[in-house]
Each structure stands twice: as structure tokens, then as C-alpha cells.
Amino acid sequence: KFLISGLLVLATVSTAFAGNPERAGQAGATQLLVNSWGRSSGFNGINIGSTYGIESVINNPAGLAHTRRTELVFGHTRYLVGTDININSFGIAQALKSAGVIGLYFTSFDMGEFYRTTEDNPEGIGTFSPSIMNLGLTYGKKFTDHISVGATIKVVHESIFDVGANGVAFDAGVQYRTNLGSDSLHTDKLKIGIALRNIGSTMRYGGDGLTFRSNRDPDFTSLSSRPTAEFEMPSVLAMGVSYDFYLTEAHRLTVLGAFISNSFTRDNIGVGMEYGFKKYLALRYSFLYEKDITNENRTTAWTGHALGATVEIPFKTGKDRFSSFGLDYSYRSTNPFQGTHVIGARIDL
């Protein structure tokens, strides 16, 4: 009943989030759409139903509820290779037993240095580095063995030298893991997820860089500020499903599908698969389809293809207690530029 009610509510809300290519480029804070996590970026972010741990903050915060104890994740992204943009991410999740799971993450963009010019100094007076950062706090909780929910509040900051903008956004999501097709060894094979992301305040740039002095008469000078337009955040409604096929006890094949409704560009349909060998190795591939993605009318540099791999190394941390160290890698193809690479490290304590 809970899932059906949620589906009906989100289906009604989704009419306001239909893909609209005419609005492409009109949203701000689009760094909220950048996936800088090694595992989910290999899925193109379509693992909305099966995502778990602190990486869930990027596509469905309900997945955080499946954190067992403590999780630390680090990520480094070479974004659109050729642009010299690098992204560093860090996240930590802590299970609070029956009280749920709380997570904190931080993402910082390194855009490099730019020459600073002014009206009086068009040749430049030094350099500056733009600052783009996201800070989020997520809470997830299992309400039953099959239903989990989560919510995120995040602070968005953008600035260049003496001009900046700040905003606050919210995410919410639900996951439903069913017993369909389950057996004595494997349960929750079918996973369904829905998430609404980047719902927040409008943003506006301000600061000393937008002020100027004007002479109203020879004896009086006033300080004025140039007005700036408000802009919205890139709201997204995403729905996804996955199913696990166990070829043998050691070999698993998971198929995924998702529909992503973007409020400021075209909608996406994604499909993917993941092969897993026990808990030691995972190989994944996905394709995110968007209308006109291969011709001159497209509104994105992504070509749809993504792949990734994960290696898990378990180690003993106590009597009858095991933790693991994982390495993640993903690649997303682009045109132009030479794609996006993400390398991540994860510790489950």
C-alpha cells in the first residue's frame, strides 16, 4: 500500500517534470547532476532501485538505509577529459541500529585557473579559480524488511573571485525490495526505486563584483549594484527497477532499467547489466538513451555508453566479523572530449 501510494503521488508530480529541451541551459547548479562516484557512474546512475550505501546520495537516498555498519567512500573524477576539470568527493555513512542510517558527503570541483580581466584592465590582472562545492546530509531508514526511505538536504555553493551564489536543495526517495523469485539462498531479487531530486530554492549571484560607483553630480558618488536574474535548480524525477539472476551460487547477473524525467532537458531511458562473482568482483555496462543523442540537435556531450568495475577485498576485523576494502572504476563516453573517468575507494567497517 505504501509503495502504490508513493507511485501514484510521484506519477502525478511527474507531469510537472516532463522533459523540455527548449529549457536546456536555463537551469543553474547543474553540478548536482554530475555523478562523481565510482560505482553508480558506471551504471549511468540508473541503479535507482538497487543502489545502497553512501553512494546512494547521487540517485536515491533510500539506498543509504542498507548500510550495515560504517562506510567511507572517496572518489576522484577526471571530468570531460580535455577540459582540465577534476572532482573530488568524500562520503561517510554510519548505521544507528534501529534508528536508521545517517550519511554526510562533500563534493568539490577543481576548475583550474582563469585570467581575470576588468573593463579597465582587459589584458588581465592576475588569475582566479572558480569554487563549486556541494555538501549534503542524508538520512535513510528501513520501515520493513522490504521498504526503505531516505531524504537529503544539501547546500550548494558557487563563486568566482568576488561574486557568488548559494542555495539549498532537497532529495527524497523510496526503495521496495520484493520476494518475487526468491529462494532459500537469495532474497530480494526484484528491486524498485523512485526518487525526486534537486527540489530547492532559486539561486541568484551577488557580491562586490557586481557593484560599481556612479557619479550623479560633481560632488556626490553613489555605490550601485548590477541586478542579476534568479535561476532554478535542475529538478529530476527518476524511477528504476533491477532483477538478480543467479546463474550459480557464485555467479550473478543483474539487469537494470530506468526512466529519468528531467525538468530542464530531454528525458532519459536507461538499461544496463552487472556481472558479479561472489562479493569479490563486479563488471557493469549501461546505456542511457536520449532523443537526438547522436546528431547535431543533441543537448549533451554524453553519448550514452558507460562501463565500470569493482574489486572487493574482505578482511577480518574481529571474531566472526569481516570488513572489506573496495576499488571502483568507471568510464562514460562523450563527444566531444575524451570521456569521463572516475576512480573510487571504499571501506566497509
Side-chain angles (χ1 to χ4, degrees):
K1 291 180 180 178
F2 180 84
L3 178 65
I4 293 173
S5 299
L7 286 169
L8 291 174
V9 170
L10 288 175
T12 302
V13 173
S14 66
T15 57
F17 294 87
N20 191 348
E22 288 75 19
R23 301 181 70 189
Q26 298 181 27
T30 53
Q31 71 272 13
L32 293 172
L33 301 177
V34 176
N35 193 325
S36 58
W37 302 103
R39 202 164 46 196
S40 58
S41 57
F43 281 123
N44 267 312
I46 68 171
N47 55 328
I48 301 159
S50 57
T51 184
Y52 62 93
I54 189 63
E55 280 200 18
S56 303
V57 297
I58 191 63
N59 52 5
N60 188 350
L64 184 72
H66 298 279
T67 303
R68 296 181 305 165
R69 293 188 290 265
T70 303
E71 181 186 29
L72 298 170
V73 177
F74 306 86
H76 175 74
T77 303
R78 294 190 63 200
Y79 185 71
L80 300 176
V81 174
T83 63
D84 293 329
I85 298 175
N86 294 283
I87 308 170
N88 294 304
S89 301
F90 168 75
I92 180 171
Q94 178 62 56
L96 306 175
K97 296 184 179 180
S98 60
V101 182
I102 190 168
L104 180 70
Y105 77 94
F106 174 77
T107 302
S108 176
F109 288 67
D110 179 5
M111 312 289 288
E113 290 190 338
F114 294 79
Y115 288 106
R116 182 187 174 213
T117 62
T118 66
E119 295 175 352
D120 298 326
N121 299 277
E123 299 301 321
I125 53 173
T127 61
F128 70 94
S129 297
S131 177
I132 299 179
M133 295 180 291
N134 302 328
L135 177 65
L137 179 66
T138 301
Y139 176 76
K141 181 175 175 58
K142 288 184 180 181
F143 279 91
T144 71
D145 291 338
H146 304 291
I147 296 175
S148 61
V149 299
T152 299
I153 179 172
K154 47 195 174 184
V155 178
V156 183
H157 170 77
E158 302 176 359
S159 65
I160 54 170
F161 193 62
D162 50 7
V163 175
N166 298 287
V168 178
F170 300 90
D171 297 352
V174 59
Q175 282 186 341
Y176 182 58
R177 302 189 172 194
T178 80
N179 281 326
L180 182 66
S182 298
D183 53 45
S184 58
L185 296 177
H186 308 104
T187 60
D188 298 342
K189 291 183 177 181
L190 177 64
K191 304 175 182 67
I192 302 170
I194 306 174
L196 192 58
R197 310 200 313 266
N198 306 331
I199 306 301
S201 62
T202 57
M203 296 175 63
R204 183 194 298 269
Y205 273 89
D208 294 340
L210 296 171
T211 61
F212 63 97
R213 295 184 180 277
S214 60
N215 297 321
R216 300 186 182 275
D217 59 58
D219 301 320
F220 180 74
T221 300
S222 64
L223 190 65
S224 303
S225 178
R226 295 180 175 89
T228 61
E230 291 185 341
F231 54 88
E232 299 180 48
M233 295 188 185
S235 304
V236 175
L237 175 67
M239 296 171 278
V241 61
S242 70
Y243 191 86
D244 299 329
F245 295 93
Y246 286 89
L247 309 178
T248 66
E249 186 175 345
H251 301 276
R252 168 185 55 83
L253 182 65
T254 299
V255 294
L256 306 93
F259 172 74
I260 301 174
S261 181
N262 298 291
S263 57
F264 283 91
T265 185
R266 293 184 174 95
D267 294 337
N268 304 124
I269 298 175
V271 294
M273 64 178 62
E274 180 183 61
Y275 163 76
F277 174 69
K278 296 185 176 180
K279 294 184 178 181
Y280 305 136
L281 175 68
L283 304 174
R284 56 189 68 94
Y285 169 81
S286 63
F287 182 80
L288 194 64
Y289 171 77
E290 178 179 312
K291 184 180 178 181
D292 296 328
I293 196 170
T294 59
N295 62 34
E296 60 185 11
N297 295 323
R298 60 199 176 108
T299 59
T300 177
W302 308 112
T303 62
H305 301 282
L307 53 88
T310 292
V311 176
E312 293 274 0
I313 304 172
F315 58 92
K316 194 171 184 179
T317 55
K319 184 178 180 180
D320 300 326
R321 176 169 174 168
F322 288 86
S323 299
S324 66
F325 172 76
L327 291 174
D328 304 310
Y329 169 77
S330 74
Y331 170 79
R332 296 182 67 187
S333 62
T334 62
N335 181 22
F337 308 113
Q338 287 80 54
T340 291
H341 302 263
V342 181
I343 299 175
R346 184 176 62 261
I347 301 174
D348 287 311
L349 299 176

